[in-house]
Amino acid sequence: MNRRLRIGLLAVGGLLMGILVAALVATYVVLQPERFTAMLQSRAEEAGLDLGLASPASPTLWPKPALELEGLTLRARGSGTPLIVASRGKLVLPWRTLLGQDTTVSRLEVEGARIDMDAVSAYIDTLPSRPSTAGAILPGIDAGFRVTRGTLTRGNRLLLSNVDIDAGRLADGRVFDLRLAASSSEKPYSMTLRTRPVLSRGVLTLNDLTLDLASQDRFAASLRGEATWRGGADVGASLAGRMTRHDASPFDVVLNVTPANQQDPLFVALKLDGPTDHADLRVPPLAVAEWWSGINAGGAPTLPPLLGSVDAAAIDTDSVHIKGLHIRATPDVTPVIAPASASTAARPATGLMP
């Protein structure tokens, strides 16, 4: 290589390096990471939360303008236990941010997040309660968000692992998509929700609602319908669809939610109809939640507060195998369970005969 060509290549390389350094400096100056960090912390403070970062945010331009965040911690003000701890995050920004004025965030991405449900519940309890007569609200989410490699815990107890949440912008009249995947006891589950929320005169309607639930090699359900919320416990929904099962006959599914009134609590009515299995249940979700809390607190094992009937030719769930199961549950009457035969992988199980 002659001397003139070598000098030319070095000059071009130096020029490119200068342009790159100038671009990085300009990116930092234009994006001004400290203003976005201050904006996030200010919004957290407005909600009674403290947001901490292990190191200052760093800007990047590829593949889109963004700010990299390291070591995120979000906790309720005055609380020692964080609601969320994440190894890293990213604020994806629109290109117009490079003009230097706009502080809009188009997407929030969080990786390695640990969410403590006890801390979240404690924070929710500190929020001011809304009057029971207040209408519905739609909490707007200006930016979409993504959580990857997350875990859901209750104190030191693991609830869900491999949590992946992907949601779009939530706004009145705009189609909203939510995808959730997680593992429980090493079994993967997924949920996809799509709807178009409309808020009018204190009534929130979820139009064109589609709900898909699945567990790999176990079942898949797809429901369609709509839901409404008028505030408080005034919730209604009507969904119908089909559930397929691995190595078993499919179900037709009808799901209805009836709001609470002066006589009855909020109920979820579920009907399953298959060639050999049928279920017609009414589930009071608040009572079930209270029952489940009692079980977790070490209370005596009891049957869940369900109403209705179940007729199943066979139930095969993990180590539990039941044949000829019949359940009848009516108000103020202990449910009667009549299995023809039941067994588990560990030891025989017995049922109550009517």
PDB file of all heavy atoms in Angstrom, residues 246-265:
ATOM      1  N   HIS A 246     -55.968 -31.249  25.432  1.00  0.00           N
ATOM      2  CA  HIS A 246     -55.051 -32.249  24.901  1.00  0.00           C
ATOM      3  C   HIS A 246     -55.566 -33.643  25.243  1.00  0.00           C
ATOM      4  O   HIS A 246     -55.827 -33.962  26.400  1.00  0.00           O
ATOM      5  CB  HIS A 246     -53.662 -32.044  25.508  1.00  0.00           C
ATOM      6  CG  HIS A 246     -52.619 -32.976  24.973  1.00  0.00           C
ATOM      7  ND1 HIS A 246     -52.220 -32.954  23.658  1.00  0.00           N
ATOM      8  CD2 HIS A 246     -51.910 -33.960  25.583  1.00  0.00           C
ATOM      9  CE1 HIS A 246     -51.292 -33.884  23.476  1.00  0.00           C
ATOM     10  NE2 HIS A 246     -51.086 -34.515  24.631  1.00  0.00           N
ATOM     11  N   ASP A 247     -55.745 -34.468  24.231  1.00  0.00           N
ATOM     12  CA  ASP A 247     -56.200 -35.851  24.403  1.00  0.00           C
ATOM     13  C   ASP A 247     -57.557 -35.923  25.096  1.00  0.00           C
ATOM     14  O   ASP A 247     -57.831 -36.841  25.885  1.00  0.00           O
ATOM     15  CB  ASP A 247     -55.171 -36.675  25.192  1.00  0.00           C
ATOM     16  CG  ASP A 247     -53.872 -36.850  24.423  1.00  0.00           C
ATOM     17  OD1 ASP A 247     -53.918 -36.758  23.175  1.00  0.00           O
ATOM     18  OD2 ASP A 247     -52.828 -37.057  25.065  1.00  0.00           O
ATOM     19  N   ALA A 248     -58.450 -34.952  24.849  1.00  0.00           N
ATOM     20  CA  ALA A 248     -59.785 -34.977  25.433  1.00  0.00           C
ATOM     21  C   ALA A 248     -60.745 -34.208  24.533  1.00  0.00           C
ATOM     22  O   ALA A 248     -60.319 -33.461  23.645  1.00  0.00           O
ATOM     23  CB  ALA A 248     -59.779 -34.392  26.836  1.00  0.00           C
ATOM     24  N   SER A 249     -62.035 -34.391  24.765  1.00  0.00           N
ATOM     25  CA  SER A 249     -63.053 -33.728  23.948  1.00  0.00           C
ATOM     26  C   SER A 249     -63.087 -32.234  24.248  1.00  0.00           C
ATOM     27  O   SER A 249     -62.812 -31.804  25.379  1.00  0.00           O
ATOM     28  CB  SER A 249     -64.424 -34.337  24.216  1.00  0.00           C
ATOM     29  OG  SER A 249     -64.420 -35.721  23.944  1.00  0.00           O
ATOM     30  N   PRO A 250     -63.448 -31.397  23.275  1.00  0.00           N
ATOM     31  CA  PRO A 250     -63.518 -29.952  23.499  1.00  0.00           C
ATOM     32  C   PRO A 250     -64.771 -29.561  24.284  1.00  0.00           C
ATOM     33  O   PRO A 250     -65.717 -30.347  24.417  1.00  0.00           O
ATOM     34  CB  PRO A 250     -63.546 -29.382  22.079  1.00  0.00           C
ATOM     35  CG  PRO A 250     -64.166 -30.466  21.264  1.00  0.00           C
ATOM     36  CD  PRO A 250     -63.711 -31.752  21.859  1.00  0.00           C
ATOM     37  N   PHE A 251     -64.761 -28.332  24.800  1.00  0.00           N
ATOM     38  CA  PHE A 251     -65.890 -27.754  25.527  1.00  0.00           C
ATOM     39  C   PHE A 251     -66.428 -26.547  24.760  1.00  0.00           C
ATOM     40  O   PHE A 251     -65.659 -25.764  24.188  1.00  0.00           O
ATOM     41  CB  PHE A 251     -65.463 -27.245  26.900  1.00  0.00           C
ATOM     42  CG  PHE A 251     -65.310 -28.307  27.949  1.00  0.00           C
ATOM     43  CD1 PHE A 251     -64.164 -28.347  28.717  1.00  0.00           C
ATOM     44  CD2 PHE A 251     -66.303 -29.237  28.178  1.00  0.00           C
ATOM     45  CE1 PHE A 251     -64.005 -29.303  29.701  1.00  0.00           C
ATOM     46  CE2 PHE A 251     -66.149 -30.200  29.157  1.00  0.00           C
ATOM     47  CZ  PHE A 251     -65.003 -30.237  29.915  1.00  0.00           C
ATOM     48  N   ASP A 252     -67.745 -26.341  24.793  1.00  0.00           N
ATOM     49  CA  ASP A 252     -68.331 -25.043  24.485  1.00  0.00           C
ATOM     50  C   ASP A 252     -68.378 -24.253  25.786  1.00  0.00           C
ATOM     51  O   ASP A 252     -68.795 -24.780  26.831  1.00  0.00           O
ATOM     52  CB  ASP A 252     -69.743 -25.197  23.921  1.00  0.00           C
ATOM     53  CG  ASP A 252     -69.734 -25.784  22.512  1.00  0.00           C
ATOM     54  OD1 ASP A 252     -68.793 -25.486  21.759  1.00  0.00           O
ATOM     55  OD2 ASP A 252     -70.652 -26.561  22.176  1.00  0.00           O
ATOM     56  N   VAL A 253     -67.953 -23.002  25.740  1.00  0.00           N
ATOM     57  CA  VAL A 253     -67.810 -22.200  26.962  1.00  0.00           C
ATOM     58  C   VAL A 253     -68.684 -20.958  26.873  1.00  0.00           C
ATOM     59  O   VAL A 253     -68.688 -20.264  25.846  1.00  0.00           O
ATOM     60  CB  VAL A 253     -66.343 -21.780  27.188  1.00  0.00           C
ATOM     61  CG1 VAL A 253     -66.210 -20.977  28.473  1.00  0.00           C
ATOM     62  CG2 VAL A 253     -65.435 -22.993  27.217  1.00  0.00           C
ATOM     63  N   VAL A 254     -69.433 -20.680  27.945  1.00  0.00           N
ATOM     64  CA  VAL A 254     -70.200 -19.437  28.082  1.00  0.00           C
ATOM     65  C   VAL A 254     -69.841 -18.827  29.431  1.00  0.00           C
ATOM     66  O   VAL A 254     -69.944 -19.480  30.473  1.00  0.00           O
ATOM     67  CB  VAL A 254     -71.716 -19.677  28.002  1.00  0.00           C
ATOM     68  CG1 VAL A 254     -72.471 -18.372  28.236  1.00  0.00           C
ATOM     69  CG2 VAL A 254     -72.100 -20.274  26.656  1.00  0.00           C
ATOM     70  N   LEU A 255     -69.379 -17.583  29.412  1.00  0.00           N
ATOM     71  CA  LEU A 255     -68.962 -16.884  30.623  1.00  0.00           C
ATOM     72  C   LEU A 255     -69.744 -15.582  30.753  1.00  0.00           C
ATOM     73  O   LEU A 255     -69.726 -14.746  29.844  1.00  0.00           O
ATOM     74  CB  LEU A 255     -67.459 -16.592  30.574  1.00  0.00           C
ATOM     75  CG  LEU A 255     -66.868 -15.811  31.747  1.00  0.00           C
ATOM     76  CD1 LEU A 255     -66.925 -16.640  33.020  1.00  0.00           C
ATOM     77  CD2 LEU A 255     -65.431 -15.398  31.446  1.00  0.00           C
ATOM     78  N   ASN A 256     -70.451 -15.429  31.872  1.00  0.00           N
ATOM     79  CA  ASN A 256     -71.214 -14.208  32.126  1.00  0.00           C
ATOM     80  C   ASN A 256     -70.869 -13.669  33.505  1.00  0.00           C
ATOM     81  O   ASN A 256     -70.707 -14.438  34.470  1.00  0.00           O
ATOM     82  CB  ASN A 256     -72.727 -14.481  32.060  1.00  0.00           C
ATOM     83  CG  ASN A 256     -73.199 -14.770  30.650  1.00  0.00           C
ATOM     84  OD1 ASN A 256     -73.092 -13.921  29.766  1.00  0.00           O
ATOM     85  ND2 ASN A 256     -73.711 -15.963  30.424  1.00  0.00           N
ATOM     86  N   VAL A 257     -70.750 -12.358  33.598  1.00  0.00           N
ATOM     87  CA  VAL A 257     -70.498 -11.693  34.872  1.00  0.00           C
ATOM     88  C   VAL A 257     -71.695 -10.815  35.187  1.00  0.00           C
ATOM     89  O   VAL A 257     -72.099  -9.980  34.366  1.00  0.00           O
ATOM     90  CB  VAL A 257     -69.214 -10.843  34.821  1.00  0.00           C
ATOM     91  CG1 VAL A 257     -68.989 -10.147  36.165  1.00  0.00           C
ATOM     92  CG2 VAL A 257     -68.011 -11.699  34.456  1.00  0.00           C
ATOM     93  N   THR A 258     -72.293 -11.030  36.367  1.00  0.00           N
ATOM     94  CA  THR A 258     -73.443 -10.225  36.791  1.00  0.00           C
ATOM     95  C   THR A 258     -73.021  -9.326  37.936  1.00  0.00           C
ATOM     96  O   THR A 258     -72.368  -9.785  38.892  1.00  0.00           O
ATOM     97  CB  THR A 258     -74.614 -11.122  37.235  1.00  0.00           C
ATOM     98  OG1 THR A 258     -74.155 -12.022  38.260  1.00  0.00           O
ATOM     99  CG2 THR A 258     -75.125 -11.948  36.065  1.00  0.00           C
ATOM    100  N   PRO A 259     -73.356  -8.028  37.875  1.00  0.00           N
ATOM    101  CA  PRO A 259     -72.906  -7.091  38.911  1.00  0.00           C
ATOM    102  C   PRO A 259     -73.597  -7.338  40.242  1.00  0.00           C
ATOM    103  O   PRO A 259     -74.653  -7.979  40.319  1.00  0.00           O
ATOM    104  CB  PRO A 259     -73.278  -5.729  38.327  1.00  0.00           C
ATOM    105  CG  PRO A 259     -74.400  -6.008  37.381  1.00  0.00           C
ATOM    106  CD  PRO A 259     -74.144  -7.367  36.827  1.00  0.00           C
ATOM    107  N   ALA A 260     -72.994  -6.817  41.297  1.00  0.00           N
ATOM    108  CA  ALA A 260     -73.586  -6.925  42.624  1.00  0.00           C
ATOM    109  C   ALA A 260     -74.828  -6.044  42.717  1.00  0.00           C
ATOM    110  O   ALA A 260     -74.939  -5.014  42.045  1.00  0.00           O
ATOM    111  CB  ALA A 260     -72.557  -6.507  43.677  1.00  0.00           C
ATOM    112  N   ASN A 261     -75.774  -6.487  43.567  1.00  0.00           N
ATOM    113  CA  ASN A 261     -76.953  -5.676  43.860  1.00  0.00           C
ATOM    114  C   ASN A 261     -77.234  -5.752  45.358  1.00  0.00           C
ATOM    115  O   ASN A 261     -76.408  -6.242  46.130  1.00  0.00           O
ATOM    116  CB  ASN A 261     -78.160  -6.144  43.035  1.00  0.00           C
ATOM    117  CG  ASN A 261     -78.422  -7.635  43.203  1.00  0.00           C
ATOM    118  OD1 ASN A 261     -78.352  -8.165  44.320  1.00  0.00           O
ATOM    119  ND2 ASN A 261     -78.726  -8.313  42.098  1.00  0.00           N
ATOM    120  N   GLN A 262     -78.395  -5.303  45.791  1.00  0.00           N
ATOM    121  CA  GLN A 262     -78.689  -5.263  47.219  1.00  0.00           C
ATOM    122  C   GLN A 262     -78.849  -6.656  47.821  1.00  0.00           C
ATOM    123  O   GLN A 262     -78.703  -6.827  49.041  1.00  0.00           O
ATOM    124  CB  GLN A 262     -79.961  -4.442  47.463  1.00  0.00           C
ATOM    125  CG  GLN A 262     -79.800  -2.967  47.115  1.00  0.00           C
ATOM    126  CD  GLN A 262     -81.061  -2.169  47.389  1.00  0.00           C
ATOM    127  OE1 GLN A 262     -82.121  -2.734  47.622  1.00  0.00           O
ATOM    128  NE2 GLN A 262     -80.948  -0.850  47.348  1.00  0.00           N
ATOM    129  N   GLN A 263     -79.132  -7.654  46.988  1.00  0.00           N
ATOM    130  CA  GLN A 263     -79.328  -9.007  47.504  1.00  0.00           C
ATOM    131  C   GLN A 263     -78.134  -9.926  47.238  1.00  0.00           C
ATOM    132  O   GLN A 263     -77.788 -10.772  48.071  1.00  0.00           O
ATOM    133  CB  GLN A 263     -80.581  -9.665  46.884  1.00  0.00           C
ATOM    134  CG  GLN A 263     -81.903  -9.082  47.349  1.00  0.00           C
ATOM    135  CD  GLN A 263     -82.243  -7.765  46.656  1.00  0.00           C
ATOM    136  OE1 GLN A 263     -81.880  -7.573  45.498  1.00  0.00           O
ATOM    137  NE2 GLN A 263     -82.919  -6.878  47.370  1.00  0.00           N
ATOM    138  N   ASP A 264     -77.483  -9.787  46.087  1.00  0.00           N
ATOM    139  CA  ASP A 264     -76.454 -10.735  45.671  1.00  0.00           C
ATOM    140  C   ASP A 264     -75.121 -10.041  45.437  1.00  0.00           C
ATOM    141  O   ASP A 264     -75.084  -8.888  44.988  1.00  0.00           O
ATOM    142  CB  ASP A 264     -76.882 -11.452  44.389  1.00  0.00           C
ATOM    143  CG  ASP A 264     -78.178 -12.230  44.564  1.00  0.00           C
ATOM    144  OD1 ASP A 264     -78.275 -12.970  45.562  1.00  0.00           O
ATOM    145  OD2 ASP A 264     -79.074 -12.085  43.712  1.00  0.00           O
ATOM    146  N   PRO A 265     -74.023 -10.753  45.705  1.00  0.00           N
ATOM    147  CA  PRO A 265     -72.701 -10.193  45.408  1.00  0.00           C
ATOM    148  C   PRO A 265     -72.398 -10.333  43.915  1.00  0.00           C
ATOM    149  O   PRO A 265     -73.192 -10.875  43.148  1.00  0.00           O
ATOM    150  CB  PRO A 265     -71.763 -11.073  46.245  1.00  0.00           C
ATOM    151  CG  PRO A 265     -72.454 -12.398  46.290  1.00  0.00           C
ATOM    152  CD  PRO A 265     -73.918 -12.092  46.339  1.00  0.00           C
TER     153      PRO A 265
END
